Amino acid sequence: MKKMNYVEKSLNGKAELVTGGHFEQTKMQYAAWAALAIVAMPLAIAHSWEATGILTVTSAVHYARVFLERYSTEHAVTTARLIKKTGLVARKGEELRLCEVQSVQVHQGIIGRLLDYGDVIATGTGGQTVALHGVVDPMMVKRKVEA
């Protein structure tokens, strides 16, 4: 028997999944390892192996934290709602009905623009905000929320 995830459990009979799932890791992994290589190479060339080791350990710890955060987060756009669930053991669910969305913002840095990922922030009536961080193809998600 397949285990249902949070998004599948929260769908009612009328709503259909438009887009969603766990956050994609691939592009963010490439960005993280590329940044590490850019910083670590000059240190290694300058024979500063201690600094390279400290940088590598710090990066590995940070990467593990980011991986767990991304793994424990689900998001979806359905025909009726924007859904976000965070947490591995404890769970926090945020939902915003699409008919209540007043604005949708996309935030992308330089690396995000190059690798096509970013943050999508939807604000609804009453000031309720649902922020999806590290979304692959954030402009597509924005179009789905605004549709």
Side-chain angles (χ1 to χ4, degrees):
M1 182 173 176
K2 181 184 175 230
K3 182 179 175 185
M4 292 178 61
N5 64 24
Y6 179 83
V7 171
E8 290 171 338
K9 288 178 185 176
S10 64
L11 290 175
N12 61 26
K14 300 174 189 170
E16 295 179 18
L17 185 64
V18 176
T19 183
H22 286 282
F23 286 98
E24 294 289 330
Q25 294 296 313
T26 312
K27 291 183 180 184
M28 295 191 72
Q29 288 172 347
Y30 291 141
W33 289 115
L36 176 61
I38 288 168
V39 173
M41 284 303 224
L43 292 174
I45 291 170
H47 302 291
S48 179
W49 295 107
E50 296 84 14
T52 305
I54 291 169
L55 179 65
T56 303
V57 169
T58 303
S59 297
V61 169
H62 175 71
Y63 180 75
R65 183 191 64 79
V66 169
F67 176 79
L68 286 174
E69 181 181 307
R70 299 291 187 227
Y71 178 77
S72 64
T73 302
E74 295 177 47
H75 72 281
V77 178
T78 71
T79 52
R81 297 175 290 165
L82 175 63
I83 302 169
K84 175 183 175 185
K85 186 276 301 182
T86 56
L88 199 56
V89 177
R91 176 171 45 196
K92 178 183 177 186
E94 300 176 64
E95 297 186 14
L96 182 60
R97 291 180 18 197
L98 295 182
C99 63
E100 296 177 352
V101 172
Q102 289 184 329
S103 69
V104 181
Q105 299 176 356
V106 173
H107 294 185
Q108 285 182 293
I110 295 170
I111 301 295
R113 288 285 307 268
L114 292 172
L115 299 177
D116 196 23
Y117 71 88
D119 301 336
V120 177
I121 299 139
T123 305
T125 55
Q128 180 185 3
T129 301
V130 175
L132 308 176
H133 300 288
V135 176
V136 173
D137 196 0
M139 294 306 293
M140 184 271 303
V141 174
K142 179 183 190 284
R143 286 190 299 273
K144 299 286 185 184
V145 170
E146 291 177 333

